[in-house]
Amino acid sequence: MSNFDPEKYLRSHIKELIPYSSARDEYSGAGKVFLDANENPFEDSFNRYPDPYQHRLKKKISGIKDIPVENIFLGNGSDEAIDLILRAFGEPKKDSVVITPPTYGMYEVSARLNDLKIISIPLKGNFQLDTNKIREINGVFKIIFLCSPNNPTGTLLNREDIEKIIKMQNSIVVIDEAYIDFTKNESWSSSITNSSNLIVLQTLSKAWGMAGLRIGMAFANKRIIEVLNKIKPPYNISSTTQSTAYRQLEDQKSFNKKRDLIIGERERVYKILNEMDCVENIVNSEANFLLIRVTNAEKIYNLLLNKGIVVRNRSGLPLCDNSLRITIGTPEENDKLVSTLENLNSVR
Ligand SMILES: *Cc1c(COP(=O)(O)O)cnc(C)c1O
């Protein structure tokens, strides 16, 4: 067991905060006549407030992920979880957040929104953590965001490096595993019992195909989950979202099939693009996208756009010169991408 005490890292006003107590917080038994929440009494699908703690959905997720319900927080997308973590632990104008670009942009945006300081420690040329630099500032920062598989590179961060950072025991370590279903590598979620400073983020937006529903998951020590529950908006996930997600999660077979198809397409597209003159390098991806370095990213981006194909130009990010991030689509969509690129193969 680690001796990290998340309580010590909480902002003091949050320690003392008395949370809003909703009608459904104060009564959760088997009542039949609900005159407590100022709802419209005429029954249809939506007249009641949703379960603020999403018990039924969490139980389902608990079964799939093999994580106890008490260690699960659900947010309106991972983005809500990211914001709540920063708000719970980061003191505005005072505390610092470490990001390791190139990585997911929301960590920095959300930290800045919360008026926190950013310490940027770029990944090394092999897209791995600069653990020496991070160790040098051990104790200086409050929260660190690690993304593995990383967006926009698709690469995994070395386990030993992450282990070192967790063991430094001086910060909240957030590992964002939005793309975990596309890799055979093990999730960090099994480490939350032994590491009380660890928060693992996953989402139903990617492999599970529910980006439109907005459900993000945080797995952590029970005390951290309690804090997130305390400061979240009471009804952060709608009843339609909860029931639809539950139904989608029942269909593990279709999930597996689509995920495997996407992984197969990733390998197929990799091989084809790798042979093209306009492609200089492709990063080995463990996610559902490829980061490709091309001869002229802006030109190719615009040429693709003219054919109705929208990709992401990531050239502005460190280590991403002339790089496009291309999401793996359906086989037909990928074919269209390939044939379009073949026609403009000689772009310089
Ligand atoms: C897509 C993505 C998410 C998902 O965010 P949601 O708000 O759950 O849709 C989280 N982290 C990373 C790195 C992503 O790429």
Side-chain angles (χ1 to χ4, degrees):
M1 270 311 261
S2 70
N3 49 19
F4 182 90
D5 180 8
E7 218 75 24
K8 238 177 56 196
Y9 279 68
L10 266 184
R11 294 168 67 193
S12 49
H13 76 287
I14 284 182
K15 256 181 255 178
E16 283 147 28
L17 179 80
I18 298 164
Y20 175 74
S21 180
S22 72
R24 287 303 112 85
D25 278 326
E26 290 174 13
Y27 182 80
S28 62
K32 289 206 170 69
V33 180
F34 287 102
L35 307 177
D36 59 345
N38 297 351
E39 294 153 334
N40 187 312
F42 298 104
E43 289 293 333
D44 71 12
S45 310
F46 312 116
N47 66 315
R48 298 293 173 192
Y49 277 106
D51 173 2
Y53 301 109
Q54 311 99 17
H55 289 94
R56 187 164 170 267
L57 179 57
K58 275 185 188 164
K59 228 171 142 190
K60 187 92 204 152
I61 291 170
S62 167
I64 293 170
K65 301 282 177 186
D66 196 21
I67 296 169
V69 167
E70 63 178 28
N71 297 112
I72 302 176
F73 168 84
L74 299 182
N76 182 11
S78 311
D79 291 344
E80 183 176 45
I82 292 167
D83 177 65
L84 291 177
I85 292 165
L86 290 165
R87 270 204 269 173
F89 296 101
E91 197 62 46
K93 298 191 196 303
K94 192 169 149 251
D95 286 334
S96 298
V97 176
V98 170
I99 54 164
T100 63
T103 192
Y104 187 46
M106 273 310 285
Y107 313 138
E108 177 168 354
V109 171
S110 203
R112 289 200 187 282
L113 192 58
N114 284 294
D115 207 4
L116 296 165
K117 295 179 203 163
I118 302 285
I119 302 178
S120 178
I121 304 195
L123 296 176
K124 297 187 288 188
N126 57 0
F127 298 127
Q128 291 302 328
L129 294 168
D130 195 336
T131 46
N132 289 337
K133 283 233 171 83
I134 293 170
R135 198 199 309 274
E136 277 169 26
I137 54 164
N138 182 14
V140 173
F141 61 93
K142 193 78 162 287
I143 303 162
I144 179 167
F145 284 96
L146 306 175
C147 188
S148 182
N150 186 35
N151 176 3
T153 58
T155 47
L156 287 161
L157 298 174
N158 289 334
R159 288 196 87 80
E160 316 81 70
D161 292 348
I162 294 183
E163 195 82 53
K164 276 183 207 160
I165 292 166
I166 294 173
K167 290 232 167 91
M168 292 184 344
Q169 295 277 317
N170 265 320
S171 65
I172 302 283
V173 180
V174 184
I175 307 180
D176 187 342
E177 297 185 331
Y179 300 97
I180 192 70
D181 296 304
F182 299 107
T183 167
K184 291 206 164 51
N185 258 258
E186 206 193 314
S187 165
W188 280 90
S189 59
S190 51
S191 301
I192 55 169
T193 12
N194 290 323
S195 308
S196 42
N197 57 335
L198 175 62
I199 304 176
V200 175
L201 299 180
Q202 292 186 10
T203 179
L204 298 184
S205 296
K206 304 287 156 63
W208 278 101
M210 299 182 228
L213 285 183
R214 312 302 304 129
I215 295 187
M217 306 170 271
F219 308 130
N221 180 288
K222 192 175 145 201
R223 277 140 80 211
I224 291 182
I225 299 299
E226 281 166 3
V227 169
L228 298 179
N229 278 331
K230 179 169 151 177
I231 66 173
K232 81 181 179 75
Y235 302 114
N236 60 330
I237 298 181
S238 79
S239 42
T240 320
T241 296
Q242 291 185 41
S243 57
T244 310
Y246 186 95
R247 212 173 49 238
Q248 296 289 106
L249 287 167
E250 299 243 271
D251 195 357
Q252 183 89 40
K253 233 181 172 166
S254 146
F255 163 79
N256 287 336
K257 201 173 126 196
K258 286 187 222 158
R259 179 202 51 198
D260 292 347
L261 185 66
I262 291 169
I263 293 173
E265 282 292 291
R266 179 183 77 201
E267 301 313 312
R268 181 177 78 92
V269 173
Y270 178 101
K271 284 195 190 107
I272 302 174
L273 296 189
N274 213 16
E275 297 300 313
M276 290 184 177
D277 287 342
C278 68
V279 177
E280 293 185 339
N281 184 56
I282 310 179
V283 183
N284 265 311
S285 172
E286 306 261 346
N288 65 334
F289 54 82
L290 294 170
L291 185 71
I292 70 172
R293 199 174 72 233
V294 291
T295 45
N296 188 330
E298 192 170 325
K299 241 185 197 168
I300 294 177
Y301 175 87
N302 284 318
L303 289 166
L304 285 173
L305 201 54
N306 281 337
K307 302 283 177 198
I309 300 174
V310 190
V311 300
R312 201 88 197 265
N313 189 350
R314 302 277 69 188
S315 302
L317 300 178
L319 304 175
C320 296
D321 283 351
N322 269 320
S323 295
L324 302 174
R325 192 195 68 192
I326 304 181
T327 307
I328 301 301
T330 62
E332 297 73 34
E333 289 171 335
N334 301 332
D335 285 343
K336 182 154 185 238
L337 169 84
V338 163
S339 63
T340 308
L341 277 176
E342 265 159 0
N343 286 331
L344 45 93
N345 216 347
S346 56
V347 174
R348 284 285 145 193

